[in-house]
Amino acid sequence: MLRTALDLSGRVAVVTGAASGIGRGSCEVLAELGAAVVCADIDHPGAEATAALIGAAGGRAVAAEVDTASAASVDALVARVAADFGRLDVMANIAGIMHTSTVVDTTDEDLDRVLAVNFKGAFHGCRAAARVMVPQGSGSIVNMASSAIDTAAPGLLCYGAAKAAMIQLTKTLATEVGPHGVRVNAVAPGWTVTGMTGRHWTAEDGTEDPERKAATTAPMARLSPLRRVGEPLDVAYAVAYLASDAAAFTTGQILRPNGGATMPW
Ligand SMILES: NC(=O)c1ccc[n+]([C@@H]2O[C@H](COP(=O)([O-])OP(=O)(O)OC[C@H]3O[C@@H](n4cnc5c(N)ncnc54)[C@H](O)[C@@H]3O)[C@@H](O)[C@H]2O)c1
């Protein structure tokens, strides 16, 4: 009986950033729990590959192309899902980009681009989803933040500012749509092995350098009492929990799958 709280059968989920890493893992877990998943990404072949993986495992998924930086693109995606499926139960705003430059070296264009994809992307997803979920009287929105909301590091102004703004978006929207049965939460993962972080040890042709991988991950692993970095599924399970009825009394919160790395210890 308790398992039914995690059962997403009959639910419809949209996941942005679905072509890779945490987004792909989240699509797989949501589908495994029974949801029909719309795998959306600016990388359409990658989104198709995620949908194919889910289909091969017996789940239900379709691919869609979206640019989260564009309100029109996100609005069109959500309108299409609402028309095709007749509902929207989960909106996971996971698409994101990394950017590093010190404050003095950051151009206006750098800041605009990172805010556009990482913050406005979530804003576009939240707004479009809320417009469907509020009249529907139910739904769960999950925004992908980062440990960068809790710590500062040289070069991370654009990325950290976008993720911090996403937290204010999450809490504000939670207060507005809660009375209508819609929940809004954020996940703030620690350092996780994905395409975003893999660029440190992966060549253009996709080959990995194990020594560089070990050298890059070891200092990040030492930040955690668990002495490891994250894998996409570590974060995907947090997304699935917040998406499900198991989190029915949880809104406006930040869940931190980071191996304990950002607590003072
Ligand atoms: N990997 C980490 O250590 C880590 C830690 C904390 C938070 N995050 C966050 O998790 C999310 C997923 O990152 P990841 O590590 O899986 O990275 P990733 O690079 O593997 O995946 C990001 C995905 O977002 C897509 N994307 C980029 N710009 C887009 C756009 N404009 N519209 C639609 N899709 C777009 C990419 O095509 C890619 O498929 C990001 O928001 C990232 O900031 C990652």
Side-chain angles (χ1 to χ4, degrees), residues 20 22 41-42 66-68 94 144-145 159 163 190 192 194-196:
S20 174
I22 292 168
D41 204 290
I42 201 165
V66 72
D67 177 0
T68 62
I94 298 181
M144 193 54 58
Y159 185 81
K163 297 299 189 182
T192 305
T194 66
M196 185 177 279

Side-chain angles (χ1 to χ4, degrees), residues 2 4-8 11 138-140 183 240-250:
L2 292 176
T4 56
L6 287 165
D7 186 358
L8 298 178
R11 308 279 171 93
S138 66
S140 172
R183 298 180 296 103
Y241 162 68
L242 291 171
S244 77
D245 291 350
F249 196 46
T250 300

Side-chain angles (χ1 to χ4, degrees), residues 194-248:
T194 66
M196 185 177 279
T197 46
R199 73 194 202 289
H200 294 292
W201 60 80
T202 310
E204 287 270 313
D205 64 3
T207 52
E208 291 192 355
D209 179 339
E211 273 179 31
R212 280 190 72 190
K213 184 174 183 178
T216 309
T217 53
M220 308 314 295
R222 276 198 293 276
L223 297 174
S224 158
L226 299 176
R227 293 285 187 263
R228 71 170 178 89
V229 295
E231 296 292 334
L233 284 184
D234 290 317
V235 186
Y237 291 136
V239 172
Y241 162 68
L242 291 171
S244 77
D245 291 350

Side-chain angles (χ1 to χ4, degrees), residues 95-119:
I97 53 173
M98 174 49 74
H99 171 83
T100 50
S101 58
T102 61
V103 172
V104 294
D105 287 333
T106 298
T107 66
D108 283 39
E109 291 73 25
D110 292 334
L111 184 58
D112 287 347
R113 179 69 193 148
V114 180
L115 289 176
V117 177
N118 290 8
F119 170 60

Side-chain angles (χ1 to χ4, degrees), residues 135-226:
Q136 184 178 275
S138 66
S140 172
I141 298 172
V142 183
N143 293 323
M144 193 54 58
S146 159
S147 290
I149 63 169
D150 295 318
T151 57
L156 278 185
L157 182 266
C158 297
Y159 185 81
K163 297 299 189 182
M166 182 191 272
I167 296 303
Q168 201 58 23
L169 165 68
T170 301
K171 293 179 179 176
T172 303
L173 185 61
T175 67
E176 294 172 355
V177 299
H180 304 281
V182 179
R183 298 180 296 103
V184 192
N185 292 286
V187 177
W191 208 91
T192 305
V193 177
T194 66
M196 185 177 279
T197 46
R199 73 194 202 289
H200 294 292
W201 60 80
T202 310
E204 287 270 313
D205 64 3
T207 52
E208 291 192 355
D209 179 339
E211 273 179 31
R212 280 190 72 190
K213 184 174 183 178
T216 309
T217 53
M220 308 314 295
R222 276 198 293 276
L223 297 174
S224 158
L226 299 176

